[in-house]
Amino acid sequence: MPTGPSATAVAHPNIAFIKYWGNQDDALRLPANDSLSMTLGGLQTTTSVTLAPDDQSDEATLNGNRLTGPALERISRHLDLIRRRAGRRERAVVISANDFPTGSGVASSASGFAALTVAACAAYGLDLPAAELSRLARRGSGSACRSLFGGFVVWPATGDDATSHGQPLAAADHWPLVDWVVVVDRSAKHVGSTAGHQLATSSSLQPSRVQTCPHRLAVATQAILARDFAQLAEVAELDSDLMHAVMMTSSPPILYWQPASIRVMHQVRGLRRAGTPVFYTLDAGANPHCLCPAESAEDVGRALESVPGVVGLLRAEVGGPARILSTVVDQAG
Ligand code: DP6
C-alpha cells in the first residue's frame, strides 16, 4: 500500500466543433490547426494519484483493470514530465475510472489525461495555473488540453510548446446545449487518434483543410458568442466532414463511418430541414455526436433513437472545468 501524498481529480471529456487532426510536431503534440470544443458535463473521469516512495515502477488501473504495455508506458511518460517539473522521483499508483461506457464513442483520453495531470501535479506538490496544467495535459493527449476548462474552449495552433494550451471562450452557463452521443458501434476503433494524426499529411486534402481552418474557427467563435445555432450547425458539420474527408483520403485510408453513422447524419439533416435545430459531428469513430439546444433535446433524442442501427444514446450537457476532489498530504503522519 502506497503511503505518500495523494490527490484525486475529476475531468470531463469534450466534443470538438472545429477538429484537431494532424500535428506540426507529433512528439510535443503541437497541432496542425486550431480547434474549438464544448466540455461534456454529465460524463466524467475520476483519477487518484498516490505517491509510492518504495516502488520501482508506476502502476495504473483503469475501470478496475490493471494497465500494462503501451497504455501504462503512456501514463508513466506523462508522470515523468510532471516529476521532472516538480524535481521529484517517487513512482506513483494511478487509479482511474470513467462513468461513461467504453466503446460509447466518447473519447476517454481527453478526460483521462486532464484528470491525471491535475491529480498528479497536486500529489507531486506542483501548484500551477490552469494554462500550465492545460499545456502539460496536451503532452499526454492533445484534446486533453481543452478539458482543463469548462464551457467552450479554443486551442490555438501556435506552433510553440510554451503557448500551446486551451483558452476558455465562454463559460458553461453561456449556452445550454445538449450533446446526444449516438452509439451505433461499441467495438474499439481500428485506428487510434495518435496513429491517425500521423497519417493526416498523407492526404492531399489536409493542406487545404488546415489553410481554411482559421476562417471556420472565426465563424464558430462568433456563432458561439452570439448563440447563433444555425451558423454553428453549418460550420461544425462542414468541419467534421472535412476532417473525415482527410481521413478517408490518407494513405492508408481510414473510414470510421458505419452505415448507421450515415443514417444518423441523414436523419439530422432531415430534422434540420424540417425546422428542428440539431447538427452532427463525428470524432475518430463511428458514433455521431448530435448537438441541439436543451429545449429540443427530448424531441431530438426520440428521433435519433428510431434510426435503424442505433444501439444506445448518451446525454451530455455543457460541463465545468477539471478540478481537484481531495488531497491527502501525508498518509504516514
Ligand atoms: C478526432 O487528442 O485523441 O477527436 O493527442 O493522439 O491523444 P492524441 O489525439 P486526440 O485527438 C483528437 C482528435 C479528434 C478531434 C478533436 O477532438 O479535436
Side-chain angles (χ1 to χ4, degrees):
M1 277 297 278
T3 53
S6 178
T8 302
V10 294
H12 304 290
N14 65 73
I15 179 68
F17 299 154
I18 301 295
K19 307 288 192 187
Y20 153 48
W21 197 245
N23 285 313
Q24 295 179 42
D25 183 320
D26 285 318
L28 287 174
R29 288 189 155 83
L30 294 176
N33 62 278
D34 307 321
S35 58
L36 184 163
S37 61
M38 177 179 118
T39 303
L40 297 179
L43 311 175
Q44 69 183 36
T45 300
T46 306
T47 300
S48 70
V49 173
T50 305
L51 305 201
D54 300 331
D55 290 6
Q56 299 302 307
S57 53
D58 297 314
E59 259 179 45
T61 304
L62 177 59
N63 298 329
N65 302 311
R66 186 84 175 261
L67 300 180
T68 56
L72 176 62
E73 282 156 28
R74 188 170 175 184
I75 288 174
S76 226
R77 272 199 308 276
H78 197 62
L79 291 172
D80 284 342
L81 272 180
I82 292 167
R83 282 189 280 256
R84 212 171 304 138
R85 179 106 181 219
R88 305 278 293 260
R89 302 181 66 89
E90 302 98 309
R91 303 289 109 184
V93 174
V94 176
I95 298 174
S96 187
N98 300 325
D99 73 354
F100 48 91
T102 313
S104 60
V106 178
S108 57
S109 69
S111 52
F113 278 95
L116 177 66
T117 303
V118 172
C121 284
Y124 282 104
L126 269 181
D127 186 13
L128 298 174
E132 277 304 294
L133 291 169
S134 167
R135 210 182 129 220
L136 274 171
R138 184 199 90 225
R139 300 285 297 275
S141 175
S143 55
C145 79
R146 300 187 307 239
S147 278
L148 254 296
F149 302 96
F152 300 85
V153 185
V154 174
W155 175 23
T158 61
D160 167 34
D161 175 37
T163 54
S164 188
H165 55 74
Q167 298 177 2
L169 171 68
D173 61 2
H174 170 71
W175 196 9
L177 296 182
V178 165
D179 179 10
W180 284 112
V181 187
V182 186
V183 184
V184 301
D185 184 1
R186 293 195 195 277
S187 56
K189 51 191 173 197
H190 48 288
V191 183
S193 299
T194 305
H197 287 298
Q198 291 169 21
L199 296 178
T201 49
S202 68
S203 165
S204 60
L205 302 183
Q206 172 75 345
S208 115
R209 190 190 74 89
V210 169
Q211 198 199 329
T212 53
C213 187
H215 176 66
R216 288 191 301 283
L217 178 73
V219 172
T221 299
Q222 214 269 322
I224 287 170
L225 294 177
R227 300 185 194 88
D228 182 337
F229 191 87
Q231 194 176 11
L232 182 62
E234 192 183 324
V235 73
E237 283 189 2
L238 171 64
D239 193 84
S240 173
D241 291 349
L242 284 169
M243 179 182 73
H244 284 270
V246 166
M247 292 161 162
M248 286 177 210
T249 53
S250 65
S251 173
I254 324 172
L255 178 56
Y256 285 113
W257 296 349
Q258 293 295 335
S261 320
I262 300 172
R263 283 198 289 271
V264 169
M265 293 155 85
H266 280 293
Q267 175 78 312
V268 164
R269 292 254 169 111
L271 284 166
R272 209 159 65 240
R273 271 196 303 275
T276 303
V278 55
F279 68 85
Y280 66 75
T281 180
L282 286 90
D283 279 344
N287 300 321
H289 290 240
C290 298
L291 281 295
C292 60
E295 60 269 20
S296 7
E298 294 316 312
D299 289 347
V300 168
R302 266 192 299 276
L304 293 170
E305 227 165 34
S306 69
V307 177
V310 170
V311 296
L313 280 186
L314 229 60
R315 182 189 165 121
E317 282 154 22
V318 195
R323 65 185 199 282
I324 287 285
L325 273 190
S326 62
T327 50
V328 177
V329 178
D330 183 0
Q331 299 185 57

